[in-house]
Each structure stands twice: as C-alpha cells, then as structure tokens.
Amino acid sequence: MKWLKGCIVLGIAIFAAHLLLGYLQPNHFDGAAYKSRRAGYHVVIKRDIWGVPHIEGKKDRDVAFGFAYAQAEDHYEIIEESFRMYRGQQSASVGYSGIALDYLIQLLEISRTVSEKYDGELSDDAKAILTGFSDGINYWAAQHPERVDQHLYPVSSQDIVAAFSTQHLLFYGFQNHVMALFGDERLYPISLVSTETALRLSHQDPLPIGSNAFAVAPGKSTDGKTRLLINSHQPLTGPVTWFEAHLKSETGWHMMGGAFPGSPLLFVGVNEHVGWGATVNKPDLVDVFVLDINPENENQYRLDGRWVDLVVKEAAIRVKLLGNFYWTVKKERLYSEHGPVLRRDHGTYAIRYAGQGEIRQIDQWLAMNKATGMESWRDAMRMLALSSFNFIVADRAGNIGFFHNSQSPIRKAGYDWKQYLPGNRGDLIWEDYLPFDDLPQLVNPESGYLFSANQSPFRVTADPYNQKRSDYPETYGFPKRMTNRATRGLALFETMDKIGEAEFQKIKFDKYYARDSRAIHYLSGLDAITYEGNSRYGKAQRFLKGWDLGTDVANTGAALGVCVISDEWTSEQKGATVPGIKAVFERCVDRLYDIYGRVDVAWGDVNRLTRGDVNLPVAGGPDIMRAVYGTGLAENGYLTAVAGDGLFIFASWDEGGVLETESIHQFGSATLDKDSKHYADQAALFADEKMKPTYFGEGQLEGHIEREYSP
C-alpha cells in the first residue's frame, strides 16, 4: 500500500503545483508601451446625438485606431469575451463548460495558420488597419487597467485575423457538423453511389436567425430612385449584435453601417457609391469522411491502398477551477490529409470544410468597403475569401444585384455529398472552389427588383428572370429552402407595379405569414384533428381558424398562431424532424391559459421589446418580414425579443446620384452601459417602426454632435 500512498501524495503535490502556477501567473501586459504609441495616430471621434461614433482619421490606420477605441468604450466586455473564444481560452474564464469549444478552436489550428500566412498573404493596407485596431484596443485597456482582464492583453493583429476566420466558419454552421459526430451512433451512412435522398447534414442552431435584404432599380421606382434595404438579423445582445458606426479617412475609406464588436471593418452598409446587405445562405460546405483505421495501429488510416500516418498533436486547455486556481486538461489532436480528425466509438472521422486555411477575409471586406460601384464591388468578391453569405447590392448608377457567395467545393460526381464519404479515396479530397463568377447571381433583372431572405438562390425575383437550379450539379450543395419571408416578400413585390418609399417600407414592415408558406401548411394540419366542440382545445381550434395570419400588436390570434408555428420553424432551422401538430397545439393552448387564462391575447401584450426599464409592445414574429424572435414566456409572462430585426438601414440614390440614408437600432449605441442615455434611446422608435437620420452625407453631422474628442 506504500506505493498507493506515494501516488496519492505525488498526485496532491502535482495538483497543488498546478494551482500555485495558476494563482501566481504573471501579467505581461505592458500598458505603457501602448500609451506611447498613441502619438502616432491622428483621429477624431464625433459622437452624434444618438451616441453613434463618426470616426475621422488621416489614414485608414488612424480610423481603425479610433474605431477600436470607440468600440472599447461601448462594449469592451464583449470584445474580451469574443477574443477568449477565438483564442480557445474560454475555459480559463468560464470553467469546464468551455472545454468543448476551446478544443474545437485548437483542433482547427487557425492561430497557427494565421501565424504562418500573415506576412505573405495579407496586403500592407490590411495589416495597417489591423495594427491600428489592435493598438486602439490595447490603448484603451492601458488607460483602464482596473476594468479589463489583464491576462487577455495585448490583443494582436493576428488575433483579429483569427477571429475573422473562425467567425466565418461559425456563421455557416461548421460547428454543427462536428457536434453531430458526438451522438451515440453514426448519423449518416457512407455514400457509395449517387442518390437523390434528401438527407440533411446541417443541424443549424436557431441563431443567427436569418436576414432580409432587397433592392429596387430606378425603372421599378415611382421617382426614379435606386432603393436598398439592409436588414441582417442577429441576436440583439452579445458578440454578434450590430454596432453602428461611420468611418472616414482621407485615403478613400468612407462608409457607414454595421459591425460586430471586435471587427475593424463594416460588414454591411453604404459608401457614397455602393451599398449592400448580407443574408445567411446555408450552402453545404462541410464534408465528413469515415476513415478506415489500421487494426494494428490506431494512428494509421488507409488512403488509396496504403496505410498513412495520422498527425498526432496535443491540445492543452487551461480550465478555471476557483478564483485564480486553474487546471490544464490535455487531449489528443489528430489530422489526416482531409483535415482535422475525431475519434468516436462509432468510427474515426475526418472533416474537410470551406475556408480551411483561409485568412484573407479582411482584405476582401476592405475592398468591399472601398468599392466605387457594382463592378468594383464584384472585383472584391472575386477574391472568394468569404466562406458564405448572400448579398443584395445597389449602386448610385442604378445597378442592383443578387450574389450567392460561397466557397463551394468542386466535388467528384457519383457520390451523395450530403452523406458521409469513404475516407480511403484520395480523389474525393477536393481542393478547389467554384469561381465567384460561376456562382448563382443575377444583375439588373427585367423585373426591376431583387429579394433575399435566406431562401434558394434560384428564387430571388419574378420567376421568368431567375436562374435555373437545373443548371448546377447537386454536388455544389446550393440551398433549396424557402422561408416565409421569402414567400411573402416575393408575393408583395409581384403585386406592386411601381414602388416608392411608402411601398418599400411597407414590404420591410410587413407582419403577415404567407398563406402558401411552409409554416401555414404546417398549421393546416389542425384541420384533420377533431376536438369536442366545447372543450378548451375545440374552442381554441375554432378561434385559430379565424386568424388572419397577422402579427400586429392588436392582433388577438397571433399569440396562439405564432406559438404553434414556432415549433415548425425551430425544427426546420435545426434540420430536425418537425413535431406532430396536435401535441404542439395543445401545449400552446395550455401555456396561454396558464399565463393569461385565455388564448385571445393581444399580441402586443405577449411580444415585448425590453431594455432596462423600457418594456414596449412590438409587432412581428418568427420568420416575419418584421422579424422578432422572443423567449422567456414562462418566466416573464411575456416574450422578450432576443433576436431578429436589429440595426437596419434604408438607402437610396436619386437620379443625380445623391445618397440618402436612415437607420435604426433596436436599443442604442451604448451596448452595455445601463447608465448611458444611449442604452435604450432608440427602442421606442424601433418599436414604433420609425427611423432616425444617419448624418452620413456631407455637412449633415454639423449641429448634431454631442461630443467630439481624440482618444
């Protein structure tokens, strides 16, 4: 027993050493160095009366420095949390709940890829912006050492590039393909021959929800204007909520729009010449290969008739235990020629995915930000550094365009790429993507309008002018889905001969489900169910039959109707089996009776926009053009909006090329500061479906500046 006692003592000693090392971990952040760099930047931040930062600098790097500083002022906590995630260091903050994501980040080796490619693949212009932005964040941290997590600083330029690369993967749902491997059994068979079986590999999380973007050409307008709506749906709080800004340098960078916390560029918005909105498009960009493992060597797999060694590495994940005490969890990392590898009880799987090894996203976003028209913008897109997203684009010359952007792999025919693939064939390891100009896109259709709401890229305008799905092989994995927003929006466009400002906004704020939508088809399943006439369910069934499918605040049918439809929508988003409507309907009826004592509740009493002391009725609902997604009914007695419409922008160019813009944010520019008057100063306008000026045009900001300062 002495050996056992010795092992226990040794184990305790090692454990104590780990704890002591964690507790005594030094802080190496030299804030003074970043304070000294401040003199090298020439930038002014002008906060307008809504608190929105208008950042003016001599060079792009100066603007990036000011943009970082303004973001840190408004939401440094979100930036810190984001960089923890992108570095694979969440466990050091949240404990064991962060291990899975930290392991995934380390498995993808994005930081190593960035380190190897940073100098050779990124432009000097992009590097200057990255340096300016990281210096701005670090300068703010140096000024506020008591407010920040010292262990996270300094943030480097390469951290920001790694964040871009990781973010793109998460947006098209890469992580869901990995999570599917952690079930108790293999999810899909191995594809051996081509088949039309409609299996769904994607198990998308319900967030991000979706997005809307649409444009109208001058010939379709009542007044000859080119119109654009930018309306990307995001969670209303957290690391991918929208932050509005106006950026202007003396070297050609002049744009207003939205960014996520921690981004040095704008993702959607307009400059004087061109603007765009983005929508999630969900193409099939991930392939899972089943490896044939050598029974005599678990670290070898068969490829083209020979045994090939897996590359074996180690993940070291630092986990917070208590206070400043940490423990390091170690786990193997494996790689094949296909990509990262995961061992499971039901097999060993290799993963190949779009964006693998790609770090040039910032260069493409920068070129888009500085585009001078439709063709210039398309030149930027031809870099094909962004893994996914649809784009609706309009420019001052009156051009409009739809672009299904994706790094769509050129895959070998003869296999069903929605299933798992045999890992023993080297000819299935694809290398190239379909060129941007060969992706589904449509410019200046005769219909005069283009509309994107996360649907099939082959149904974005009037039917005669759409591209044909049959022109593209199934192996490219283009989406086929239709959302209610897409069905409803396209129908509204077809009813309008000419579209002015009022009609354009009417489409954006439409509050109805389409009668021929997937959601209402699901709801019609209630017709086959018979309830006793005077029962709770019988009365509710008859009541719901009379619902006009609207979601305005006075609507009394929406509470029950939206409750039932939401289960179908959530299942479709996840790629899961849609539940039987009888059980869903009865659960919704019971829930409304439990909370309100009836089902005919005004929708505005149920659907609320809340922020601090603000609690407002709001129209709209899941997969509605006026997109509002709520949660917390059982806890609060009402739904609290958590995603959907956030920052959105109306833009138009008149026949002379003069740009007009207006915007609204769901809350306000003060993302986290509850004491700021800008914490919720836009909420009432947002709930009332009203807009505010952006002060983007020349001279428009004058007289509307609340505070002007240099960081």
Side-chain angles (χ1 to χ4, degrees):
M1 295 297 290
K2 288 184 178 180
W3 66 270
L4 179 59
K5 182 178 179 180
C7 288
I8 293 173
V9 171
L10 178 61
I12 292 173
I14 293 173
F15 180 69
H18 272 275
L19 295 182
L20 184 61
L21 287 173
Y23 184 75
L24 297 178
Q25 180 176 355
N27 167 33
H28 297 295
F29 178 51
D30 182 7
Y34 291 94
K35 288 183 179 180
S36 68
R37 296 185 189 183
R38 168 64 188 90
Y41 291 96
H42 308 281
V43 60
V44 173
I45 300 174
K46 300 175 181 179
R47 296 275 186 172
D48 68 25
I49 59 174
W50 298 98
V52 175
H54 300 249
I55 300 163
E56 300 177 3
K58 187 175 181 62
K59 297 180 179 180
D60 293 351
R61 65 188 294 273
D62 301 319
V63 172
F65 181 90
F67 193 25
Y69 192 89
Q71 287 190 38
E73 287 182 303
D74 289 337
H75 44 232
Y76 78 92
E77 297 99 326
I78 299 177
I79 294 173
E80 285 190 352
E81 190 58 37
S82 296
F83 280 112
R84 282 193 193 96
M85 182 182 76
Y86 298 136
R87 285 178 176 175
Q89 296 176 350
Q90 275 200 322
S91 301
S93 175
V94 302
Y96 281 96
S97 63
I99 288 178
L101 186 55
D102 284 351
Y103 176 74
L104 177 60
I105 296 297
Q106 291 196 32
L107 182 68
L108 296 179
E109 292 193 313
I110 290 175
S111 292
R112 180 185 65 80
T113 302
V114 171
S115 179
E116 292 175 352
K117 295 185 175 183
Y118 185 88
D119 290 331
E121 293 198 5
L122 294 184
S123 70
D124 290 340
D125 289 343
K127 291 175 191 172
I129 286 175
L130 289 164
T131 299
F133 192 82
S134 59
D135 280 352
I137 292 175
N138 293 323
Y139 175 63
W140 192 91
Q143 285 187 312
H144 304 86
E146 75 288 352
R147 297 177 63 183
V148 302
D149 180 351
Q150 291 282 315
H151 295 106
L152 281 173
Y153 296 90
V155 170
S156 72
S157 300
Q158 294 190 13
D159 283 333
I160 301 167
V161 178
F164 269 95
S165 298
T166 307
Q167 203 171 71
H168 276 267
L169 303 184
L170 299 180
F171 257 96
Y172 74 69
F174 167 83
Q175 70 280 13
N176 299 311
H177 298 265
V178 176
M179 295 306 295
L181 296 174
F182 283 83
D184 293 332
E185 58 186 28
R186 182 173 295 169
L187 187 60
Y188 300 112
I190 301 174
S191 174
L192 300 177
V193 293
S194 180
T195 173
E196 295 300 317
T197 304
L199 292 175
R200 190 182 294 273
L201 184 59
S202 176
H203 286 260
Q204 295 286 345
D205 187 88
L207 299 176
I209 300 298
S211 295
N212 300 331
F214 50 89
V216 172
K220 184 72 173 178
S221 296
T222 57
D223 50 11
K225 289 185 176 182
T226 306
R227 289 189 163 85
L228 173 67
L229 169 76
I230 301 165
N231 183 204
S232 295
H233 303 156
Q234 291 299 122
L236 302 189
T237 58
V240 288
T241 191
W242 287 117
F243 179 68
E244 184 178 7
H246 173 188
L247 311 178
K248 185 177 183 179
S249 75
E250 296 177 14
T251 52
W253 188 13
H254 186 202
M255 184 172 174
M256 69 80 53
F260 300 149
S263 167
L265 298 140
L266 298 176
F267 293 147
V268 296
V270 296
N271 60 36
E272 300 103 315
H273 313 286
V274 62
W276 67 91
T279 70
V280 172
N281 52 5
K282 296 187 179 180
D284 178 11
L285 302 181
V286 179
D287 293 315
V288 177
F289 297 81
V290 180
L291 300 184
D292 180 11
I293 297 298
N294 187 345
E296 298 181 2
N297 185 345
E298 66 174 3
N299 290 330
Q300 287 186 333
Y301 65 101
R302 186 181 297 279
L303 185 66
D304 294 332
R306 59 190 176 89
W307 294 115
V308 178
D309 290 335
L310 289 167
V311 176
V312 182
K313 299 182 181 181
E314 184 178 74
I317 303 168
R318 189 166 176 265
V319 183
K320 185 182 184 74
L321 298 180
L322 180 66
N324 287 320
F325 296 149
Y326 299 87
W327 184 261
T328 299
V329 174
K330 296 183 179 181
K331 183 175 175 58
E332 70 174 4
R333 292 187 285 128
L334 302 173
Y335 303 88
S336 70
E337 291 189 24
H338 312 76
V341 172
L342 290 171
R343 294 193 206 268
R344 303 298 299 149
D345 291 341
H346 43 74
T348 301
Y349 303 91
I351 306 166
R352 195 161 188 82
Y353 56 95
Q356 201 163 337
E358 180 62 76
I359 72 162
R360 299 171 301 141
Q361 295 91 349
I362 186 170
D363 264 310
Q364 182 167 335
W365 285 118
L366 178 59
M368 293 162 66
N369 275 222
K370 288 191 170 186
T372 56
M374 179 73 75
E375 280 308 307
S376 174
W377 188 90
R378 291 176 79 174
D379 285 342
M381 294 299 295
R382 291 184 176 104
M383 291 180 63
L384 205 64
L386 310 185
S387 297
S388 62
F389 300 123
N390 294 317
F391 292 97
I392 292 284
V393 188
D395 71 9
R396 67 184 300 175
N399 298 300
I400 63 172
F402 164 82
F403 301 90
H404 172 93
N405 171 76
S406 59
Q407 292 175 321
S408 294
I410 299 177
R411 296 164 166 133
K412 183 179 178 65
Y415 290 81
D416 182 354
W417 290 82
K418 298 182 184 71
Q419 297 181 353
Y420 291 163
L421 286 305
N424 59 0
R425 297 193 50 152
D427 59 347
L428 298 185
I429 305 176
W430 46 264
E431 298 288 346
D432 300 318
Y433 302 129
L434 191 66
F436 174 74
D437 287 328
D438 293 338
L439 292 166
Q441 51 191 257
L442 194 57
V443 177
N444 296 330
E446 291 184 38
S447 60
Y449 66 88
L450 289 163
F451 182 90
S452 179
N454 315 111
Q455 78 272 32
S456 163
F458 306 103
R459 293 186 64 185
V460 296
T461 193
D463 283 339
Y465 309 109
N466 283 308
Q467 290 187 296
K468 295 180 179 179
R469 178 70 182 82
S470 58
D471 290 342
Y472 294 85
E474 289 287 331
T475 55
Y476 290 131
F478 297 133
K480 301 177 181 180
R481 68 195 296 254
M482 286 297 288
T483 61
N484 173 73
R485 287 169 290 115
T487 304
R488 176 72 179 171
L490 290 171
L492 288 171
F493 270 110
E494 289 187 15
T495 65
M496 299 178 183
D497 181 40
K498 294 284 186 176
I499 297 174
E501 181 178 355
E503 292 80 9
F504 199 70
Q505 292 203 5
K506 179 181 178 181
I507 296 172
K508 162 64 205 108
F509 292 116
D510 183 76
K511 303 169 185 66
Y512 287 86
Y513 288 98
R515 291 198 175 275
D516 56 344
S517 67
R518 194 188 67 241
I520 303 307
H521 175 73
Y522 174 72
L523 193 64
S524 68
L526 277 175
D527 295 342
I529 300 171
T530 301
Y531 291 105
E532 183 181 340
N534 290 324
S535 69
R536 169 186 289 190
Y537 304 128
K539 292 177 180 178
Q541 183 184 39
R542 290 195 302 276
F543 171 72
L544 189 56
K545 190 75 173 176
W547 180 38
D548 66 355
L549 310 187
T551 57
D552 52 280
V553 293
N555 198 295
T556 57
L560 180 55
V562 169
C563 180
V564 176
I565 287 171
S566 293
D567 274 70
E568 185 279 337
W569 169 81
T570 302
S571 299
E572 192 275 340
Q573 284 281 301
K574 292 181 176 180
T577 301
V578 178
I581 194 168
K582 184 176 186 292
V584 172
F585 170 72
E586 292 175 3
R587 187 179 72 248
C588 287
V589 171
D590 292 342
R591 183 180 300 170
L592 290 173
Y593 266 101
D594 289 345
I595 296 172
Y596 301 104
R598 65 189 197 278
V599 296
D600 57 338
V601 191
W603 184 231
D605 292 339
V606 179
N607 208 40
R608 312 290 292 186
L609 180 72
T610 66
R611 177 78 158 169
D613 295 331
V614 173
N615 191 325
L616 301 166
V618 62
D623 207 12
I624 291 284
M625 288 299 298
R626 176 47 155 163
V628 176
Y629 300 83
T631 189
L633 180 62
E635 296 83 0
N636 303 324
Y638 54 81
L639 293 169
T640 296
V642 295
D645 275 1
L647 171 69
F648 58 92
I649 302 164
F650 287 108
S652 66
W653 287 269
D654 66 16
E655 292 174 299
V658 176
L659 174 65
E660 295 179 357
T661 57
E662 55 182 1
S663 67
I664 197 66
H665 188 278
Q666 74 275 7
F667 297 138
S669 63
T671 315
L672 299 176
D673 185 2
K674 295 180 180 180
D675 296 325
S676 170
K677 68 178 183 180
H678 301 305
Y679 184 66
D681 59 338
Q682 297 184 50
L685 288 175
F686 177 88
D688 288 343
E689 300 173 6
K690 297 178 180 178
M691 310 297 290
K692 67 169 183 60
T694 66
Y695 308 120
F696 179 67
E698 188 68 31
Q700 291 180 356
L701 185 58
E702 187 177 348
H704 302 285
I705 300 174
E706 181 179 271
R707 185 164 64 106
E708 181 175 336
Y709 57 101
S710 292

